[in-house]
Amino acid sequence: MEQEGVEVKKACCYFCHQNCGCLVYVKDGKILHFEGDTEYPTNSGGLCCRGNVNLIHLDHEARVNFPLKRKGERGSGEWERITWEQAIDEIGTKLAEIRQHYGAEAVATAGGTSRTDDWARRRFMNLFGSPNGFHNAHLCWIPTFMIETAVYGWSPFEIDLGSSRCLVLWGQNPAISTLPEMSGVSGLKANGLKVIVIDPRFTETAAKADLWIPVRPGSDLALALAWINVIIYEGLADYDFVYEHCVGFDELTAHVEEFTPEWAEPLTGVSADLIREGARMYAMNKPGNIQWGTALDQIGKPAGATQHARAILRAITGNLDCPGADLLTGPSLEFVTDEEMELNEFLTEEQRAKQLGSDKFKLVTWPGYGRIAEIARKYWGKAPTAEWMCEAHPPTVFNAILTGEPYPVKALLVSATNPVNSYGESQKVLAALKAVDFMVTCDYWLTPTAMLSDYVLPMAGSFERPTITSTYGCSDFLMCSQRAIQPMYERHSDFEFWRDLGIRLGQKEHWPWETLEDAYFYRIKDLGYGVESYDEFVEFYRFHFPEREYFKYKEKGGFGTPSGKVEIYSSVLEELGYPPLPPYIAPVENEVDYPELAKEYPLILTTGAGVMPFHHSEHFNIKELRFIRHEPHMEINPDTAAEYGIQEGDWVWVETRRGRIKQKASLTEGIRPGTVFTERGWWYPERDLRNPELGGCLESNTNVLTSTADEDCDPLSGSWANRGLLCKVYKVSSSDRREDK
Ligand SMILES: Nc1nc2c(c(=O)[nH]1)N[C@H]1C(S)=C(S)[C@@H](COP(=O)(O)OP(=O)(O)OC[C@H]3O[C@@H](n4cnc5c(=O)[nH]c(N)nc54)[C@H](O)[C@@H]3O)O[C@H]1N2
Ligand SMILES: Nc1nc2c(c(=O)[nH]1)N[C@H]1C(S)=C(S)[C@@H](COP(=O)(O)OP(=O)(O)OC[C@H]3O[C@@H](n4cnc5c(=O)[nH]c(N)nc54)[C@H](O)[C@@H]3O)O[C@H]1N2
Ligand code: SF4
Ligand SMILES: [Mo]
């Protein structure tokens, strides 16, 4: 589109972590048109259905455009429009009062999936003195990252697929969740790449796989241990790598002796033959990759041991840091990392020790993070991001709000999340949001969470702010985007919110950058591109990809662990008081250990997984997307449905010990018999948003069913149980049915 006065801005879509590159055509500060950027390496010009509604999202009638202050009761929906100055001043005054009376730790912040400049929030919290920032980190990669870093010195999330011969997608469905990645996989399959999908559902991705392993939800640990058994006892390990570079192989060999495929068969519901076939396919088609998938972060109690077992699989097959395998890039030494922007050194030991949940779950809180960061600094020269990798335990924070134990939490600042729908045991979350003394929400929309807030602040989205994309601040590369237009109405970026609040609370000297572009320029200016501004960098270069290096451990004289070896037998876990080798832990709720429970709740439940067109609880209010899927669906095998008299399209109750929700039955052979899958995220923005209706936020909300009890959480990371629970299903009777359905 060449036209006088039209500028082409290199922006990106911000509706999922893929951050697909876009070209935005702007004239006189207004967007005329946008399209996928064909030069962007991940999406190569493609955009999904969400990406294509960016302009509808930008000026949607339901967007929050001005700072709002509550006028009536909490949840009454009566708001007064105020200025940003007033909002920041009043919020700052309130937080200072709370800090004075209860201590800085009485202020908590909640975040969601990586959307914002999280370093800015952490910087604010470190300077304010509170250790109680949290995200849904516990469900989303972070436990995996921390265990892998304990075992190998860094998480091998950068996969070198080009020359790979085998890709294991373990609890991941990229054909829905990460579309650009999936298109890469399809291309490589044509060149002979073998793909193994481990998933209770025959997903869009499984349909393209060479092997589908329909595992019982939550039982992945038995499968992983049995794979290790097969690889060791069939002589398929990479002995050169193991003996030269690993510690603990002999202990592991003895440890897994009993974990045969026959042992795993009844636990996983996968035949011993299929277990063997999968293990052999991975071990014999080298080099190979195991891609991260969220499922293993969401199985609660067995999560940490499962991630450890999966990490061991790479080590014993030598699929680490070599061409075609999973690479240990380490942090960037070239640009200023997120961690360096966080000012973690400002949070005192005394405040770190107060982090909620850190006494119970030590890996992604200060005890584990502190140790892992220390090792990483020594080896790599820099540490992983603390935001995400070192967080308060969300269910423990919600509990502290409700009980005042171990100490009161009085304020919650919510940014880029809708906790009622995303965090576990939504009933408790909702009770906590209603109970907290003071709540501020930064969002695009009046979500059920925002409705309960004292202040709601309007946030700038995709094309209204610049963005640096870098795997939770841990990648060694940068993908950069410009803002296409100045924020519309009175929207601000999250960075500006934390900065302004910080300045209001006396942090001025630590916020030297006026704009996000200034802060980004500070981060990249020493990269040597000779540019004068961030915008110029994006215009001329946009990406910084260091050359891929293999076998870094050879040059560095070992791996980034205390022993300098890959620690199959993990000294870091042992130091923290956890088993150094992964013990077998059963799914949180199961028929073997809890036969009585299984009588009442005979079906196996997995909650969540991405569905199109939604991103978690987002986009439900955009009718151009909602028409694709306007009602929530649970999946059930036709044989199982028949046992319960359920037919296609029936509204059914899905119930666990914690509560019940309504979704519509979708009968499919593509799910293991006896297993139920419920969609995540559901609320009904078209309904009354005021309390108590709150957009029907509990009615079809899968997190009503999940468990956050301490005993169901992973003892290492504290991740709670969304997958591998027991449930029952029954038809919604006509008297239960809402009239509007
Ligand atoms: N049962 C179950 N629960 C799950 C999952 C599951 O599979 N099953 N998945 C988990 C996972 S992996 C994740 S990541 C979490 C996601 O949980 P959340 O991140 O809480 O996801 P959303 O519910 O989409 O909430 C995001 C909110 O942020 C707003 N938002 C978007 N961009 C911005 C921005 O730039 N700034 C601000 N201030 N607001 C913004 C959106 O409008 C939306 O209201 O859910 C987790 N919960
Ligand atoms: N459309 C869409 N895309 C998204 C998102 C979204 O909400 N919607 N969210 C984004 C975010 S924040 C994330 S973290 C990623 C996550 O994306 P993925 O890593 O792909 O994870 P999920 O989609 O949560 O779940 C993947 C698969 O796990 C399977 N599964 C369920 N229980 C188990 C189990 O116990 N074991 C095993 N092995 N598999 C199981 C499910 O059937 C599902 O197909 O997606 C991102 N992309
Ligand atoms: S929502 Fe779609 S277009 Fe936007 S970043 Fe994600 S995959 Fe790309
Ligand atoms: Mo996520």
Side-chain angles (χ1 to χ4, degrees):
M1 184 190 273
E2 271 194 37
Q3 210 183 311
E4 206 170 313
V6 176
E7 278 184 287
V8 184
K9 294 288 187 179
K10 295 179 176 173
C12 75
C13 171
Y14 220 69
F15 295 158
C16 83
H17 305 217
Q18 293 299 302
N19 295 144
C20 294
C22 297
L23 296 178
V24 184
Y25 298 81
V26 180
K27 190 172 182 187
D28 302 327
K30 296 233 160 46
I31 298 176
L32 302 177
H33 166 75
F34 78 102
E35 63 200 16
D37 181 354
T38 51
E39 287 175 18
Y40 205 82
T42 53
N43 63 313
S44 311
L47 295 175
C48 77
C49 54
R50 286 195 303 274
N52 278 308
V53 302
N54 259 290
L55 295 188
I56 294 170
H57 188 280
L58 185 66
D59 203 11
H60 192 282
E61 60 183 11
R63 284 284 296 266
V64 180
N65 293 325
F66 305 97
L68 300 177
K69 179 182 179 181
R70 174 172 68 82
K71 265 203 314 200
E73 291 284 292
R74 291 271 282 276
S76 64
E78 290 165 44
W79 305 103
E80 177 191 352
R81 178 177 156 184
I82 58 171
T83 62
W84 268 99
E85 290 69 28
Q86 183 184 345
I88 293 291
D89 187 53
E90 290 178 9
I91 296 167
T93 305
K94 186 76 189 174
L95 297 186
E97 270 169 34
I98 291 174
R99 179 168 57 183
Q100 200 180 353
H101 283 98
Y102 301 96
E105 63 277 11
V107 173
T109 64
T113 186
S114 173
R115 290 324 192 71
T116 59
D117 290 278
D118 293 301
W119 57 264
R121 168 156 83 121
R122 179 59 68 125
R123 192 177 178 100
F124 169 83
M125 288 292 271
N126 283 333
L127 295 167
F128 184 79
S130 173
N132 287 328
F134 62 89
H135 280 99
N136 263 304
H138 302 72
L139 302 179
C140 185
W141 188 49
I142 306 310
T144 296
F145 179 98
M146 292 301 273
I147 285 179
E148 292 174 348
T149 305
V151 175
Y152 320 127
W154 198 252
S155 168
F157 58 85
E158 187 62 31
I159 66 174
D160 188 33
L161 260 184
S163 51
S164 170
R165 295 186 53 220
C166 183
L167 173 64
V168 183
L169 298 170
W170 201 319
Q172 196 206 23
N173 183 16
I176 290 294
S177 59
T178 47
L179 294 174
E181 270 178 33
M182 189 63 197
S183 61
V185 171
S186 305
L188 290 164
K189 270 217 70 190
N191 298 336
L193 175 78
K194 295 245 181 285
V195 176
I196 304 175
V197 167
I198 303 172
D199 197 308
R201 299 187 305 137
F202 187 72
T203 57
E204 298 77 355
T205 309
K208 305 276 181 209
D210 296 273
L211 202 64
W212 171 47
I213 303 185
V215 69
R216 177 210 190 278
S219 73
D220 300 81
L221 179 54
L223 182 69
L225 290 169
W227 271 28
I228 299 175
N229 173 293
V230 172
I231 291 169
I232 294 183
Y233 286 92
E234 292 192 6
L236 303 176
D238 181 335
Y239 294 96
D240 289 343
F241 183 82
V242 163
Y243 285 116
E244 207 175 324
H245 299 295
C246 302
V247 286
F249 185 70
D250 293 342
E251 290 89 337
L252 177 72
T253 304
H255 179 69
V256 298
E257 192 180 354
E258 61 179 306
F259 300 135
T260 60
E262 283 69 22
W263 163 82
E265 181 173 304
L267 302 172
T268 55
V270 180
S271 72
D273 284 349
L274 189 53
I275 296 176
R276 283 203 173 83
E277 197 182 340
R280 288 175 188 155
M281 191 181 275
Y282 172 62
M284 293 168 76
N285 287 285
K286 283 180 59 177
N289 310 85
I290 304 180
Q291 176 61 300
W292 165 75
T294 31
L296 300 200
D297 295 316
Q298 300 192 7
I299 56 180
K301 199 169 171 188
T306 312
Q307 290 145 2
H308 189 181
R310 180 174 56 177
I312 288 172
L313 283 166
R314 292 193 190 96
I316 62 174
T317 52
N319 275 320
L320 264 183
D321 222 19
C322 62
D326 300 333
L327 307 182
L328 298 166
T329 57
S332 173
L333 300 183
E334 300 175 300
F335 54 82
V336 177
T337 62
D338 281 46
E339 196 277 329
E340 292 168 290
M341 297 295 279
E342 292 175 340
L343 301 183
N344 291 303
E345 59 280 15
F346 278 77
L347 192 70
T348 61
E349 286 297 334
E350 192 195 351
Q351 287 308 97
R352 290 178 186 189
K354 291 180 188 163
Q355 189 177 44
L356 286 165
S358 61
D359 52 338
K360 300 178 281 190
F361 309 114
K362 300 202 167 133
L363 192 68
V364 300
T365 46
W366 272 106
Y369 172 81
R371 178 70 179 119
I372 285 173
E374 181 192 342
I375 300 166
R377 270 201 190 93
K378 214 158 118 195
Y379 180 82
W380 298 107
K382 291 192 186 183
T385 328
E387 185 81 349
W388 296 99
M389 312 300 168
C390 175
E391 306 226 315
H393 182 237
T396 306
V397 178
F398 293 126
N399 218 34
I401 292 173
L402 288 168
T403 62
E405 298 293 335
Y407 54 75
V409 171
K410 294 289 178 186
L412 186 62
L413 308 181
V414 179
S415 152
T417 180
N418 178 14
V420 184
N421 288 79
S422 302
Y423 286 77
E425 286 192 63
S426 311
Q427 322 73 312
K428 283 195 190 162
V429 175
L430 184 59
L433 299 185
K434 287 180 176 172
V436 73
D437 279 11
F438 182 66
M439 184 155 79
V440 178
T441 294
C442 300
D443 206 304
Y444 304 142
W445 316 97
L446 285 172
T447 61
T449 304
M451 286 299 292
L452 292 169
S453 302
D454 296 290
Y455 293 83
V456 181
L457 298 170
M459 289 293 126
S462 288
F463 297 161
E464 300 174 298
R465 60 164 196 225
T467 300
I468 293 185
T469 304
S470 78
T471 329
Y472 296 82
C474 283
S475 59
D476 64 345
F477 60 84
L478 292 176
M479 302 207 281
C480 298
S481 299
Q482 293 171 312
R483 75 170 93 210
I485 54 169
Q486 288 303 321
M488 293 172 70
Y489 307 99
E490 291 185 13
R491 299 171 191 164
H492 282 186
S493 68
D494 292 79
F495 160 80
E496 285 170 280
F497 170 71
W498 297 114
R499 175 182 184 273
D500 292 350
L501 197 57
I503 290 174
R504 166 65 185 75
L505 285 161
Q507 305 175 359
K508 190 164 192 333
E509 62 179 305
H510 300 295
W511 295 95
W513 316 287
E514 292 270 323
T515 64
L516 201 40
E517 282 88 346
D518 292 347
Y520 287 170
F521 185 57
Y522 166 77
R523 298 186 59 184
I524 61 147
K525 68 178 176 0
D526 294 333
L527 278 174
Y529 287 90
V531 289
E532 297 291 319
S533 69
Y534 172 77
D535 238 34
E536 197 183 327
F537 175 75
V538 184
E539 203 168 329
F540 292 103
Y541 302 99
R542 191 167 201 186
F543 310 107
H544 174 71
F545 291 117
E547 209 177 306
R548 279 283 150 260
E549 292 172 82
Y550 303 103
F551 307 112
K552 281 226 246 333
Y553 55 90
K554 291 191 179 164
E555 190 191 301
K556 290 176 85 74
F559 288 82
T561 59
S563 62
K565 304 271 186 188
V566 169
E567 296 196 352
I568 290 174
Y569 184 101
S570 169
S571 69
V572 173
L573 294 186
E574 193 171 38
E575 251 181 74
L576 292 170
Y578 298 116
L581 286 172
Y584 172 66
I585 301 171
V588 162
E589 292 178 337
N590 67 78
E591 47 294 349
V592 179
D593 299 322
Y594 309 101
E596 285 305 311
L597 184 69
K599 265 192 219 147
E600 191 178 349
Y601 298 100
L603 300 175
I604 300 162
L605 173 70
T606 185
T607 71
V611 291
M612 273 297 181
F614 307 119
H615 189 262
H616 300 286
S617 73
E618 291 182 60
H619 306 107
F620 285 83
N621 36 16
I622 298 183
K623 66 176 187 311
E624 290 78 357
L625 291 178
R626 181 76 177 276
F627 86 97
I628 298 174
R629 193 182 288 256
H630 44 97
E631 286 165 334
H633 286 89
M634 52 81 81
E635 288 177 12
I636 187 165
N637 188 284
D639 291 345
T640 315
E643 277 180 56
Y644 296 92
I646 291 170
Q647 292 178 352
E648 178 71 25
D650 283 345
W651 280 95
V652 296
W653 288 111
V654 183
E655 182 176 327
T656 66
R657 279 195 283 179
R658 291 151 296 272
R660 64 178 192 170
I661 62 163
K662 270 188 243 182
Q663 297 202 350
K664 249 182 156 175
S666 172
L667 274 50
T668 167
E669 301 277 353
I671 187 164
R672 311 168 70 248
T675 297
V676 167
F677 162 81
T678 48
E679 285 178 2
R680 71 183 172 209
W682 275 91
W683 59 295
Y684 301 93
E686 65 278 16
R687 294 204 197 150
D688 190 347
L689 292 179
R690 291 169 305 174
N691 196 26
E693 175 77 1
L694 292 170
C697 68
L698 294 187
E699 189 173 305
S700 300
N701 174 354
T702 197
N703 276 312
V704 165
L705 307 175
T706 56
S707 173
T708 59
D710 277 357
E711 62 276 16
D712 288 344
C713 291
D714 169 25
L716 284 73
S717 67
S719 88
W720 55 95
N722 289 345
R723 307 186 185 192
L725 299 160
L726 292 179
C727 73
K728 63 180 166 192
V729 296
Y730 47 100
K731 270 170 72 162
V732 172
S733 67
S734 44
S735 56
D736 293 335
R737 203 168 294 146
R738 285 181 52 95
E739 278 170 7
D740 54 356
K741 286 210 181 104

